[in-house]
Amino acid sequence: MTVASSPPSRLPLRDVEGTQPKPRTREKRDRDGGGRGDGALAALFIAPAMLGFLVFLLWPTLRGIYLSFTRFNLLTPAEWVGLDNYVRMVKDPIFWDSLTVTVEYVFINIGIQTVSALAIAVLLQRLTQSAILRGIVLTPYLMSNVVAGIVWLWMLDTQLGIGNEIIAGLGFDRIPFLADETWAIPTIALINVWRHVGYTALLLFAGLQAIPGDMYEAAKVDGASEWRMFWRITMPLLRPVLAVVLIMTVIGSFQVFDTVAVTTAGGPANATNVLQYYIYGAAFGRFQFGYASAMSVALLVVLSAITFVQYRLTRAGQTDLG
């Protein structure tokens, strides 16, 4: 008797060949299907900022670059003059004097502000982390530059200012802080240091918070002093944050305007005629918008070059934290 043998059962294709696609899990379907929705939502949130960037930054920049090659005074259409404005700028002694004054201001402001802010940040981190104290440090920054300039103008007035009253009470001669060519730029720099140092200190304080505390504990066990820990631990690990803060403060310092406008108006004898104030005078005082645009473009190029050099020298994109 012959028994018919049943054909061998075939294993599922996915087990034999491993080629049958696996069904997508719910999480994968949600991820694949929801990607487009997330992108649309992200674009919706970015749209207001992007619109502001295009309208208030990119378009004025491109328009200013175009106007720098024209003669334009608001009353007549812009007339193309090529490089005439840039040739005039190179030959303009007042432009170079304004640039020199601006550089002097930047060096004083950045030097004092950075050292003071770093000292305040380290003290806040090593001695106390009181939120109330941090709020007090930030208080001057909440005041506008115009208000700060007016207040200090009154306080440093040669005849009636409380600062000179104290100096005279101590038996010294009164100092014309904002009316003397020697004192004017350092005084304006110190006014802006007073206003911005708290904000800069809090930026550095935030960077200090990212440094692991066990590094300081280990250094203390090894007998390191606070001064040695500052140079061996704090400064190397704070470098990326400090580099970014320096870039921001340098750019802001080159654009100083409002403090000068409300205190000295560029005087005495152009001693405080910083580049931004000279550009403003050319544009809105003498209606030479083409020439003012050329100087603005030159300032943009200078700031771009300084920012690039700072970024490379300070290695702002790298960190020593492993």
Side-chain angles (χ1 to χ4, degrees), residues 104-116:
E104 178 187 355
Y105 166 84
V106 169
F107 271 101
I108 298 174
N109 182 47
I110 296 301
I112 298 177
Q113 182 179 163
T114 303
V115 173
S116 302

Side-chain angles (χ1 to χ4, degrees), residues 259-280:
T259 307
V260 173
V262 300
T263 55
T264 61
N270 287 334
T272 60
N273 189 26
V274 292
L275 192 53
Q276 282 282 56
Y277 193 79
Y278 184 48
I279 293 173
Y280 170 82

Side-chain angles (χ1 to χ4, degrees), residues 42-123:
L44 181 63
F45 280 111
I46 293 173
M50 181 60 66
L51 180 62
F53 171 78
L54 294 175
V55 174
F56 298 108
L57 185 62
L58 182 60
W59 169 247
T61 301
L62 297 177
R63 175 71 171 168
I65 294 174
Y66 165 73
L67 290 178
S68 69
F69 296 99
T70 67
R71 183 181 295 110
F72 182 53
N73 59 8
L74 285 181
L75 302 177
T76 59
E79 176 188 354
W80 184 268
V81 295
L83 297 175
D84 287 358
N85 288 323
Y86 291 96
V87 173
R88 174 185 172 185
M89 179 182 65
V90 172
K91 297 180 179 179
D92 186 359
I94 300 180
F95 168 79
W96 294 107
D97 182 67
S98 297
L99 184 59
T100 303
V101 170
T102 305
V103 171
E104 178 187 355
Y105 166 84
V106 169
F107 271 101
I108 298 174
N109 182 47
I110 296 301
I112 298 177
Q113 182 179 163
T114 303
V115 173
S116 302
L118 184 59
I120 294 172
V122 171
L123 290 176

Side-chain angles (χ1 to χ4, degrees), residues 217-238:
E217 297 298 330
K220 285 183 179 179
V221 172
D222 291 339
S225 63
E226 288 289 338
W227 185 250
R228 188 174 181 82
M229 286 190 292
F230 173 78
W231 286 109
R232 296 294 185 178
I233 299 176
T234 302
M235 286 301 293
L237 299 183
L238 188 63

Side-chain angles (χ1 to χ4, degrees), residues 11-317:
L11 294 175
L13 181 62
R14 61 186 177 189
D15 293 334
V16 175
E17 299 177 359
T19 58
Q20 181 174 343
K22 295 182 179 180
R24 292 191 304 173
T25 63
R26 181 177 180 182
E27 291 78 5
K28 183 174 179 60
R29 288 197 302 269
D30 293 342
R31 184 170 63 252
D32 293 343
R36 291 185 294 273
D38 292 344
L41 183 61
L44 181 63
F45 280 111
I46 293 173
M50 181 60 66
L51 180 62
F53 171 78
L54 294 175
V55 174
F56 298 108
L57 185 62
L58 182 60
W59 169 247
T61 301
L62 297 177
R63 175 71 171 168
I65 294 174
Y66 165 73
L67 290 178
S68 69
F69 296 99
T70 67
R71 183 181 295 110
F72 182 53
N73 59 8
L74 285 181
L75 302 177
T76 59
E79 176 188 354
W80 184 268
V81 295
L83 297 175
D84 287 358
N85 288 323
Y86 291 96
V87 173
R88 174 185 172 185
M89 179 182 65
V90 172
K91 297 180 179 179
D92 186 359
I94 300 180
F95 168 79
W96 294 107
D97 182 67
S98 297
L99 184 59
T100 303
V101 170
T102 305
V103 171
E104 178 187 355
Y105 166 84
V106 169
F107 271 101
I108 298 174
N109 182 47
I110 296 301
I112 298 177
Q113 182 179 163
T114 303
V115 173
S116 302
L118 184 59
I120 294 172
V122 171
L123 290 176
L124 287 175
Q125 193 239 4
R126 302 295 293 156
L127 299 181
T128 177
Q129 297 189 13
S130 169
I132 297 177
L133 187 57
R134 293 201 298 270
I136 294 174
V137 169
L138 188 62
T139 301
Y141 186 74
L142 304 179
M143 184 183 303
S144 70
N145 277 332
V146 173
V147 174
I150 293 175
V151 169
W152 281 99
L153 176 64
W154 291 343
M155 292 175 60
L156 299 178
D157 183 80
T158 307
Q159 301 300 325
L160 303 176
I162 186 173
N164 269 302
E165 288 294 329
I166 294 175
I167 292 174
L170 294 175
F172 299 101
D173 295 334
R174 295 176 181 267
I175 301 175
F177 289 101
L178 294 168
D180 183 83
E181 297 181 23
T182 304
W183 286 95
I185 277 294
T187 301
I188 291 175
L190 290 176
I191 291 174
N192 283 325
V193 166
W194 170 83
R195 182 180 178 271
H196 292 92
V197 68
Y199 177 73
T200 306
L202 288 186
L203 292 178
L204 296 176
F205 175 78
L208 291 173
Q209 294 297 98
I211 300 177
D214 54 3
M215 291 189 173
Y216 293 103
E217 297 298 330
K220 285 183 179 179
V221 172
D222 291 339
S225 63
E226 288 289 338
W227 185 250
R228 188 174 181 82
M229 286 190 292
F230 173 78
W231 286 109
R232 296 294 185 178
I233 299 176
T234 302
M235 286 301 293
L237 299 183
L238 188 63
R239 177 185 47 76
V241 177
L242 183 60
V244 173
V245 169
L246 278 174
I247 291 173
M248 292 171 54
T249 51
V250 167
I251 292 174
S253 296
F254 266 96
Q255 296 174 335
V256 61
F257 169 77
D258 34 18
T259 307
V260 173
V262 300
T263 55
T264 61
N270 287 334
T272 60
N273 189 26
V274 292
L275 192 53
Q276 282 282 56
Y277 193 79
Y278 184 48
I279 293 173
Y280 170 82
F284 298 98
R286 299 183 295 276
F287 297 100
Q288 299 173 356
F289 287 93
Y291 184 50
S293 297
M295 291 189 289
S296 298
V297 172
L299 179 59
L300 174 63
V301 172
V302 169
L303 289 179
S304 300
I306 292 175
T307 300
F308 176 77
V309 172
Q310 280 186 288
Y311 189 87
R312 294 300 299 270
L313 291 180
T314 58
R315 295 181 293 126

